[in-house]
Amino acid sequence: LIMIIPSKYENLNKNVFVIGSEIIKLLKTQSYNIEKLYQKIKKKIDISFDTYYDALTFLWLSEIVDKNEFQIYLKK
């Protein structure tokens, strides 16, 4: 929960909510391999792999995305 709540010192562009929204935008068009999705997000927002996984975990726990093997897709 601490990773989700932004502090006044945090760069909001790298917040889990912002990264999660970028992931959702991409997944609206197609499903992605976990690594390819990270590469696409990394081109837009310079984030670490840990931050990316935090955003994916948040989306998965919120039941917004799901996975099949290494593919990530929006849950219907």
Side-chain angles (χ1 to χ4, degrees):
L1 185 60
I2 303 281
M3 70 178 181
I4 294 174
I5 301 171
S7 73
K8 64 181 180 179
Y9 305 106
E10 181 182 357
N11 180 351
L12 290 180
N13 292 327
K14 295 183 179 185
N15 181 274
V16 171
F17 293 126
V18 174
I19 296 164
S21 72
E22 291 297 325
I23 290 171
I24 290 170
K25 284 180 197 175
L26 288 171
L27 291 177
K28 281 184 176 180
T29 60
Q30 68 183 52
S31 64
Y32 281 91
N33 173 287
I34 293 173
E35 180 64 31
K36 289 185 186 209
L37 181 59
Y38 173 66
Q39 295 304 325
K40 281 219 142 327
I41 294 292
K42 183 119 171 99
K43 286 180 184 177
K44 291 182 111 179
I45 307 168
D46 185 30
I47 58 168
S48 69
F49 206 64
D50 288 338
T51 305
Y52 166 70
Y53 260 75
D54 288 344
L56 275 182
T57 302
F58 169 72
L59 292 173
W60 180 75
L61 287 172
S62 302
E63 297 185 356
I64 297 170
V65 300
D66 210 349
K67 66 173 186 59
N68 183 6
E69 296 291 320
F70 296 106
Q71 290 292 112
I72 300 290
Y73 58 90
L74 283 179
K75 219 169 182 181
K76 303 271 181 201

